[in-house]
C-alpha cells in the first residue's frame, strides 16, 4: 500500500510538470497507455493520480472519454485571481497584526530555486517556486485554515501561471522579470511598513492578473485552432 501511494504521488507530480510546462495544454486529452509507458507505472496508480489532479481542479473527467486538461474560461481566471487577492489581503492583515513580524527567512531558498529555474529556462520550476513562495507568505500569517484554502486555490492557478511564465519567456527572452517582482515583494514585507506592504501586494496581484489572463487567452486560442 505504501508503494502504491508513492507511485500515485510520483505520477501526480510528473503530470503536473507536463501541465505547467505546456506539454499538455488546455483541453488536451490524457491518454493512459502513453502515460503508463512514460511514467513506468501500472494503470491503477495512474488512474488514482488522475483523480487527485481532478480534485485539484487541473483535470476534468468526461463520460466515456477519460480525462482532459481543464480549459479555464475568462470567468474562471477572474474568479480565481479575485479570490486570491482577497485571501492575500486577509493574510497581510494577520501578518501586520502580529506582535513580532516573521523574518521570512524560509522564503530565501525558495527565491534561490526560482532564480535557478529561471536561469536554466525551466518554466515549470519557476511556477512551482512561485506557488511555494506565495503559500509561504500566507502560511506565515499563522491561520491554518486560510493556508489550506489558499494552497487549494494555488493548485488551480498553476495553469494560468504557467501560461504567463511561458509567454514571458518568449517575449522577454528569459524568466528573470517575475523573479525580480517576487524579490521586491519579499523585501517590502521585511520592512514591516503597513502601507507599503499593502500597496505592493495590491500592485503585485493586479500585475499578475493583467499579465496572466492575456497569456492564457492566447494559449487557449492556439489549442482551439
Amino acid at each position: 500500500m505504501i508503494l502504491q501511494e508513492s507511485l500515485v504521488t510520483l505520477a501526480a507530480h510528473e503530470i503536473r510538470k507536463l501541465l505547467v510546462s505546456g506539454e499538455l495544454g488546455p483541453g488536451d486529452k490524457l491518454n493512459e497507455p502513453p502515460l503508463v509507458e512514460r511514467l513506468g507505472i501500472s494503470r491503477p496508480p495512474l488512474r488514482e493520480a488522475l483523480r487527485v489532479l481532478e480534485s485539484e481542479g487541473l483535470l476534468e473527467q468526461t463520460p466515456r472519454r477519460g480525462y482532459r486538461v481543464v480549459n479555464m474560461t475568462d470567468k474562471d481566471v477572474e474568479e480565481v485571481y479575485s479570490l486570491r487577492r482577497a485571501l492575500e489581503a486577509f493574510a497581510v492583515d494577520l501578518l501586520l497584526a502580529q506582535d513580532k513580524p516573521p523574518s521570512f527567512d524560509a522564503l530565501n531558498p525558495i527565491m534561490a530555486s526560482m532564480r535557478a529555474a529561471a536561469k536554466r529556462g525551466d518554466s515549470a520550476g519557476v511556477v512551482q517556486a512561485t506557488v511555494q513562495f506565495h503559500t509561504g507568505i500566507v502560511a506565515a500569517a499563522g491561520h491554518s485554515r486560510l493556508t489550506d484554502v489558499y494552497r487549494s486555490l494555488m493548485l488551480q492557478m498553476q495553469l494560468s501561471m504557467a501560461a504567463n511564465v511561458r509567454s514571458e519567456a518568449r517575449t522577454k527572452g528569459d524568466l528573470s522579470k517575475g523573479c525580480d517582482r517576487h524579490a521586491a515583494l519579499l523585501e517590502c514585507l521585511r520592512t514591516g511598513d503597513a502601507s507599503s506592504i499593502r500597496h505592493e501586494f495590491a500592485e503585485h496581484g493586479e500585475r499578475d492578473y493583467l499579465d496572466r489572463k492575456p497569456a492564457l487567452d492566447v494559449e487557449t486560442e492556439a489549442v482551439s485552432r
Side-chain angles (χ1 to χ4, degrees), residues 138-208:
V138 173
H143 193 302
S144 61
R145 286 174 174 78
L146 169 62
T147 303
D148 288 343
V149 172
Y150 188 81
R151 183 177 289 113
S152 175
L153 184 70
M154 289 299 278
L155 290 171
Q156 296 179 47
M157 286 186 63
Q158 287 184 80
L159 295 179
S160 58
M161 291 171 66
N164 185 72
V165 168
R166 293 192 298 273
S167 175
E168 183 174 295
R170 289 194 299 268
T171 58
K172 304 296 182 182
D174 60 47
L175 298 170
S176 61
K177 180 181 176 183
C179 297
D180 293 340
R181 287 199 302 267
H182 287 90
L185 181 60
L186 178 56
E187 289 307 308
C188 185
L189 282 166
R190 285 176 168 149
T191 67
D193 182 76
S195 60
S196 296
I197 290 172
R198 287 195 172 96
H199 176 75
E200 184 64 27
F201 258 95
E203 288 290 309
H204 186 90
E206 189 62 23
R207 276 199 305 269
D208 272 0

Side-chain angles (χ1 to χ4, degrees), residues 8 14 44 58 66 97 188 193 202 213 215 219:
V8 171
E14 291 302 316
L58 299 177
C188 185
D193 182 76
K213 181 178 174 294
E219 294 210 351

